Amino acid sequence: MEKITFDEIKKALIRSGYLLENRVLNFFNDNQFDAESSHRYVIDEVEGKFREIDVLATANLASNSTNKTNITLFVNFYVECINNPVPLALFCSYGDREEPTTDWAYNFINGSPQFLEFCSESFPQVIYDRQNEIIKSMPARQYCGFIMKKDKNIDEKWMANHPDDFHQTLSKLSQFVKIKKSDTKERWEEIRPDFTRLEIFIPLIVLQGEMIEIINQKELELKDIEYYRLKAPYEKGYNKSLSIDIVTEKYLKTYLDLKVTGLINMFDDLNSLINSNFE
């Protein structure tokens, strides 16, 4: 068997997404998150089928205690890392200017039935009031990539395409959020039943390469972007979508700061309502 050289190893790694995955893992760990990489999860126990998420990052962001209530905010980022040699293009969807609060994935776990009901009814309004602080893009429902045609002797050597691997990434993230929402609720239910957990689940794609926005109105306009949201199907029976955040690697720090600050502000708003109703 031919031995691979160090130079060939470096070239293989640079072409892959492993170096990006490693940088993203270290980034979350350096920012007070508990992060792990290459997390495997079961999709079929009978057939032994597994899938893998590149990076899982979890943090306890804030807590609030009163004489009657205790609640803690946990955020979970589920991250796929993509080394895209050509730009990912996202089509601006003008019919979705406002993100419905139902696009958010979260659980309230433990606490009295009265308290859980109050939180579940109050949090959508809190999201609505604060979400513009951390959502800095229009949503998209359509995307495309670009591929070079095999016949390089023609003038139009590039064509737009719908990359299957990116579609699989979206499906995997949506599926994983569903699994973790269920698993988290099952794991923590009845553990410290007087302490309520607000778990927020955020699917995220980090791109090593470029991303562009396509604005298709009177004229076709293209813009370089660093952050966008893509609405992916989540629950077919309820016509429910899940917003998946997409950022470039160089924007990741800014994105995380915006997200964490916004989530803490939301949590503070929720606690103001809690404190005024559960004195």
Side-chain angles (χ1 to χ4, degrees):
M1 182 177 180
E2 184 178 350
K3 184 178 179 180
I4 188 170
T5 67
F6 278 5
D7 185 57
E8 289 169 328
I9 289 172
K10 287 180 180 178
K11 289 179 180 178
L13 287 171
I14 290 169
R15 289 193 304 270
S16 76
Y18 289 111
L19 298 179
L20 173 62
E21 180 180 328
N22 181 255
R23 292 194 298 270
V24 171
L25 172 69
N26 292 334
F27 167 80
F28 275 103
N29 279 323
D30 289 342
N31 283 274
Q32 286 74 57
F33 278 76
D34 181 14
E36 62 174 287
S37 66
S38 304
H39 178 87
R40 298 183 78 198
Y41 65 98
V42 179
I43 59 172
D44 191 323
E45 291 185 354
V46 176
E47 297 186 13
K49 291 183 178 179
F50 294 86
R51 280 188 173 177
E52 187 175 282
I53 291 291
D54 289 341
V55 176
L56 272 68
T58 301
N60 175 343
L61 293 187
S63 61
N64 181 58
S65 296
T66 69
N67 291 332
K68 294 186 178 180
T69 62
N70 297 280
I71 185 168
T72 302
L73 169 64
F74 292 86
V75 62
N76 306 273
F77 286 95
Y78 304 140
V79 190
E80 284 289 283
C81 303
I82 299 177
N83 180 4
N84 55 316
V86 296
L88 173 69
L90 295 159
F91 292 77
C92 181
S93 178
Y94 283 90
D96 295 311
R97 287 187 178 275
E98 296 292 339
E99 178 179 86
T101 57
T102 53
D103 280 10
W104 288 63
Y106 59 88
N107 277 335
F108 286 99
I109 307 169
N110 293 334
S112 70
Q114 179 188 10
F115 183 64
L116 289 177
E117 182 180 4
F118 176 83
C119 290
S120 298
E121 291 177 352
S122 301
F123 196 55
Q125 184 61 47
V126 169
I127 293 174
Y128 182 81
D129 291 341
R130 286 281 189 176
Q131 64 182 355
N132 286 338
E133 295 179 13
I134 56 177
I135 296 173
K136 301 297 183 183
S137 83
M138 298 288 287
R141 290 183 181 271
Q142 186 181 3
Y143 63 89
C144 73
F146 303 92
I147 189 170
M148 186 174 288
K149 294 180 180 179
K150 292 181 180 180
D151 185 358
K152 299 181 180 179
N153 295 320
I154 57 177
D155 292 336
E156 293 83 13
K157 61 181 179 180
W158 288 95
M159 64 180 291
N161 76 329
H162 200 249
D164 289 339
D165 54 349
F166 190 77
H167 176 75
Q168 291 168 4
T169 295
L170 298 175
S171 298
K172 180 166 60 171
L173 284 170
S174 294
Q175 179 187 51
F176 190 67
V177 168
K178 282 186 192 177
I179 290 172
K180 295 303 286 186
K181 273 195 70 180
S182 176
D183 286 353
T184 303
K185 189 173 180 63
E186 189 175 303
R187 183 187 319 121
W188 288 104
E189 213 159 32
E190 303 306 325
I191 296 177
R192 303 182 74 188
D194 295 333
F195 289 80
T196 302
R197 298 172 66 97
L198 168 54
E199 296 267 2
I200 295 179
F201 309 92
I202 301 174
L204 171 65
I205 295 173
V206 179
L207 302 177
Q208 183 168 314
E210 298 175 338
M211 178 166 52
I212 60 174
E213 178 186 40
I214 298 175
I215 301 172
N216 185 21
Q217 290 191 307
K218 293 182 179 180
E219 294 184 3
L220 184 61
E221 182 181 355
L222 307 179
K223 295 197 305 186
D224 289 319
I225 51 174
E226 306 293 346
Y227 162 56
Y228 223 75
R229 294 178 295 120
L230 183 62
K231 295 167 76 71
Y234 185 61
E235 291 181 1
K236 294 181 181 179
Y238 298 95
N239 196 27
K240 176 177 168 58
S241 298
L242 179 71
S243 283
I244 297 177
D245 288 343
I246 308 175
V247 301
T248 61
E249 183 184 8
K250 61 185 178 182
Y251 190 76
L252 184 56
K253 180 66 169 70
T254 302
Y255 163 83
L256 186 64
D257 289 343
L258 285 170
K259 208 77 170 179
V260 167
T261 300
L263 291 174
I264 291 174
N265 287 338
M266 285 182 182
F267 188 67
D268 289 343
D269 290 352
L270 177 62
N271 281 303
S272 294
L273 295 173
I274 291 170
N275 294 339
S276 62
N277 284 271
F278 290 84
E279 295 179 352

